[in-house]
Amino acid sequence: MEFTRKGFIKMKRHQPRHIYCDHQLYFITAHIYKNGFLLDGDLKKDKLLLKIFCFAWEYQIDLLAWVVMIDHYHLLIKTRFGKNISNYTGKIHSGFTFEMNELEGKKGRRLWHNYWDWCIRDECDYWKQFNYIHNNPIKHGLVSIPQELRKYRYSSYWHYIRMKGEDWLLNVFESYPVLDFTVKNDEG
């Protein structure tokens, strides 16, 4: 909602306001436009992850956690320059859309809604978003328990297993549980 002189007005659902702060942690989510396209194969997910990684470097964004699902993705990032977030997500979306449309012969097709961001408020908020991202394959029924998350390769879970170990990850899950898997706009 936005306040104006005439009172409150309803914001369009897929045109959220963004707050850009330098040196800030953000939770980002983006969803496929009207479910008209699916990230339904390894090739598509690999190409999206490649864009996410390459453009993070270009826009001086540190990727802290990520997951790519069949119709959306989530990122936990730290940005040096807040204004880069819009350019970063725009480049991911336009680059991926162009590549998929070329591959599938569907020029001009729109693949993405706008993205949503959430400024991380404190340490507890950070770890809850971190856990939400890594538990997303459980939420969507791709695996059933945390120990099976290592099977889902489109997540940073495997990265943290190598860097910190599975016991560390399970301890983080226990210390900062995700009690409600509902995140505003996660379902499109």
Side-chain angles (χ1 to χ4, degrees):
M1 298 265 263
E2 181 180 288
F3 184 77
T4 67
R5 287 186 177 172
K6 295 180 182 180
F8 287 97
I9 59 172
K10 187 174 181 180
M11 286 185 57
K12 292 180 181 176
R13 182 168 181 200
H14 298 294
Q15 294 178 344
R17 294 270 183 214
H18 302 287
I19 299 171
Y20 300 121
C21 300
D22 294 347
H23 306 286
Q24 177 64 41
L25 298 166
Y26 286 89
F27 174 84
I28 305 286
T29 188
H31 199 279
I32 295 295
Y33 182 70
K34 294 187 179 179
N35 294 321
F37 175 84
L38 295 176
L39 300 162
D40 56 358
D42 291 342
L43 176 69
K44 293 175 183 178
K45 289 182 184 112
D46 286 336
K47 287 184 177 295
L48 178 59
L49 275 177
L50 184 61
K51 302 274 186 252
I52 288 169
F53 288 120
C54 289
F55 295 131
W57 180 83
E58 182 178 333
Y59 288 101
Q60 300 180 32
I61 288 174
D62 296 327
L63 283 170
L64 305 173
W66 62 89
V67 67
V68 173
M69 304 301 291
I70 196 162
D71 61 356
H72 68 283
Y73 68 83
H74 300 294
L75 306 174
L76 188 58
I77 65 170
K78 182 173 184 183
T79 181
R80 288 184 182 86
F81 305 103
K83 63 184 171 120
N84 284 351
I85 295 172
S86 179
N87 295 332
Y88 171 60
T89 56
K91 197 84 170 216
I92 292 168
H93 293 176
S94 64
F96 181 77
T97 297
F98 178 80
E99 193 170 357
M100 287 298 103
N101 286 349
E102 283 288 310
L103 186 69
E104 297 180 357
K106 296 190 176 184
K107 295 189 191 300
R109 174 179 56 171
R110 180 178 175 187
L111 296 186
W112 298 102
H113 281 299
N114 201 345
Y115 68 95
W116 294 266
D117 59 52
W118 171 264
C119 292
I120 302 299
R121 306 300 198 257
D122 55 30
E123 183 179 3
C124 184
D125 191 22
Y126 172 86
W127 290 113
K128 285 184 178 180
Q129 301 304 334
F130 179 92
N131 287 345
Y132 181 84
I133 286 171
H134 290 120
N135 279 286
N136 219 246
I138 295 173
K139 174 186 176 183
H140 292 283
L142 300 172
V143 299
S144 49
I145 59 174
Q147 291 79 359
E148 293 177 353
L149 287 168
R150 65 177 47 236
K151 296 177 186 176
Y152 191 74
R153 69 180 233 201
Y154 300 103
S155 164
S156 53
Y157 187 85
W158 58 266
H159 169 76
Y160 285 100
I161 285 177
R162 282 187 305 157
M163 300 302 288
K164 302 279 190 172
E166 193 161 27
D167 288 340
W168 179 86
L169 272 167
L170 294 175
N171 184 49
V172 170
F173 288 175
E174 186 177 308
S175 298
Y176 300 94
V178 178
L179 301 176
D180 179 7
F181 273 110
T182 305
V183 169
K184 185 179 178 184
N185 298 320
D186 184 28
E187 299 303 323

